[in-house]
Amino acid sequence: MKANLVKILQAMGLQRVLLPEHKMRSLSRSKNVDNSIDSDSASMKTALSVVLDVDSSNEPEPSEAAYLSWLKEHPSALRSFERMMKAARGKRIVVFLDYDGTLSPIVNDPDRALMSDEMRAAVRGVAKYFPTAIISGRSREKVKEFVQLPNVYYAGSHGMDIMAPPNPVKNSDGKSPPVSLDKKGNEVLFQPAKKFLPAIRQIYAELEEKTRRIPGARLEDNRFCISVHFRQVKEEDVNILREMVRSVIAKYPDFHLTGGKKVIEIRPSIEWNKGNALEYLLETLGFKDSSDVLPLYIGDDRTDEDAFKAIERRGQGYPIIVSTVPKDTKALYSLSDPSEVLTFLSRLARWRRASSCSSRSSAQIWGLGD
Ligand SMILES: O=P(O)(O)OC[C@H]1O[C@H](O[C@H]2O[C@H](CO)[C@@H](O)[C@H](O)[C@H]2O)[C@H](O)[C@@H](O)[C@@H]1O
């Protein structure tokens, strides 16, 4: 059974792609493969865990068939644009964007993951018409430095550091939501992991000391979490690095590890993620109990799944994954890469402009300037 499955997967070019069982079934059906696989889910699971590489950081080239099949379940947001916007009429769209892999392409050096001017213009265009937030694993300061736009919300450290823009969007009753001001007069809304800062500094120092022995390993201080990058670490050293990180974190029971694209992330164990940040921002915008709000979230990584789940729980919204490979995801739609994200955002702003030019300016409606 396992040998058969391996052969089938190899023939389909899927041996390193992680797909959930039901998606494997639909793939096997679409390829007319042995249907006995469908009925033997236990063996299939075992075989999959042996055969498939479960680390999402390894992004294999998918077979065309696998990708096309996945696209059926997660249709392109570009191709579905008209349908999506038709369903959005009369609703209040709120845009949430991840940064790395969504607004900027994945590159070797995290400090060089710059956003293009075209992408910046597209985000600016969207933020002119819709409340817009960037929710990133990076520190808030860093992502703001990359994006350089004033009228968007920034949520850094996977949503553990949220700041409102200087001109907050007005509530549906026309009033601005209450915010607390920081020393510079900016609105600091939420930092639920503040008490962990001393421990985070300590962990960072320990990791810095230990990981310098691994060539290519790189630490990134994301304020309320830490990234240990291994994109440039030799394959044979990756597990040694993982072990090092695990041994440090074992001493800190209030922290846990998560994984992303060639990165290990150290996070305080609090019930707060990108999904909570999305909910928090919607509430701040006055949409807590609103039935006509439509959150649209675009992201490419595992941590974005929390936001996709939050939208799923709300029962309304557009979760969009950025991926060129089939992935297990709660997203309903897909875009292949940041260049498609750019096209989508530009189209979204154009659509809003066209549909609002006869009525009063949306910037007025949302209380936003240029
Ligand atoms: O939530 P995000 O905005 O997607 O942040 C997640 C991590 O993104 C960055 O790392 C990733 O992008 C780098 C630059 O392209 C790449 O070199 C790295 O391999 C990727 O994992 C960021 O540097 C991390 O701190 C974030 O946690």
Side-chain angles (χ1 to χ4, degrees), residues 98 100 106-107 136-137 220 222 227 229 231 261 265 274:
D98 164 53
D100 288 281
I106 295 294
V107 293
S136 171
E220 188 180 358
N222 288 335
S227 286
H229 292 276
R231 188 167 290 279
K261 294 184 168 171
E265 291 175 299
K274 288 186 174 187

Side-chain angles (χ1 to χ4, degrees), residues 98-102 104-110 113 135-138 143 158 220 222 227 229 231 260-263 265 274 300-301 303-304:
D98 164 53
Y99 183 77
D100 288 281
T102 298
S104 71
I106 295 294
V107 293
N108 280 342
D109 179 354
I135 307 185
S136 171
R138 303 257 190 177
V143 78
H158 294 293
E220 188 180 358
N222 288 335
S227 286
H229 292 276
R231 188 167 290 279
K261 294 184 168 171
K262 308 256 181 199
V263 69
E265 291 175 299
K274 288 186 174 187
D300 73 314
D301 214 343
T303 58
D304 298 309

Side-chain angles (χ1 to χ4, degrees), residues 270-338:
I270 57 167
E271 282 289 315
W272 198 265
N273 55 41
K274 288 186 174 187
N276 301 100
L278 178 143
E279 289 292 358
Y280 181 88
L281 284 161
L282 286 176
E283 191 171 329
T284 311
L285 294 167
F287 292 127
K288 185 169 187 278
D289 299 314
S290 168
S291 59
D292 65 355
V293 66
L294 208 139
L296 183 156
Y297 188 105
I298 311 181
D300 73 314
D301 214 343
R302 265 187 231 172
T303 58
D304 298 309
E305 291 295 328
D306 293 318
F308 297 156
K309 281 182 208 153
I311 295 181
E312 187 186 51
R313 277 194 300 273
R314 293 183 76 86
Q316 189 156 263
Y318 293 141
I320 305 174
I321 189 162
V322 182
S323 183
T324 51
V325 294
K327 268 187 187 170
D328 185 12
T329 179
K330 290 284 181 190
L332 294 178
Y333 295 94
S334 65
L335 290 167
S336 65
D337 53 28

Side-chain angles (χ1 to χ4, degrees), residues 9 47 57 63 79 107 152 174 226 234 240 249 258 285 334 362 367:
L9 288 166
S57 60
S63 75
R79 284 171 180 249
V107 293
V152 298
I226 300 168
K234 280 197 223 131
I240 303 173
I249 296 313
T258 57
L285 294 167
S334 65
S362 296

Side-chain angles (χ1 to χ4, degrees), residues 180-295:
S180 53
L181 299 181
D182 72 358
K183 283 186 199 133
K184 291 183 198 155
N186 298 314
E187 297 87 356
V188 174
L189 288 180
F190 204 58
Q191 292 183 328
K194 219 170 176 171
K195 69 170 185 178
F196 295 96
L197 277 178
I200 294 171
R201 299 277 68 80
Q202 222 170 309
I203 294 172
Y204 190 91
E206 280 189 46
L207 286 173
E208 202 170 33
E209 173 59 29
K210 287 209 166 180
T211 59
R212 65 165 59 118
R213 273 175 267 151
I214 307 280
R218 184 166 176 162
L219 288 191
E220 188 180 358
D221 178 356
N222 288 335
R223 186 134 204 242
F224 294 101
C225 43
I226 300 168
S227 286
V228 183
H229 292 276
F230 58 90
R231 188 167 290 279
Q232 306 203 67
V233 170
K234 280 197 223 131
E235 218 169 312
E236 59 264 35
D237 287 343
V238 171
N239 279 340
I240 303 173
L241 179 67
R242 280 190 200 281
E243 231 6 86
M244 266 179 190
V245 176
R246 273 192 208 120
S247 71
V248 171
I249 296 313
K251 293 184 283 171
Y252 295 87
D254 292 339
F255 287 80
H256 69 282
L257 302 178
T258 57
K261 294 184 168 171
K262 308 256 181 199
V263 69
I264 307 163
E265 291 175 299
I266 294 113
R267 297 164 69 161
S269 300
I270 57 167
E271 282 289 315
W272 198 265
N273 55 41
K274 288 186 174 187
N276 301 100
L278 178 143
E279 289 292 358
Y280 181 88
L281 284 161
L282 286 176
E283 191 171 329
T284 311
L285 294 167
F287 292 127
K288 185 169 187 278
D289 299 314
S290 168
S291 59
D292 65 355
V293 66
L294 208 139

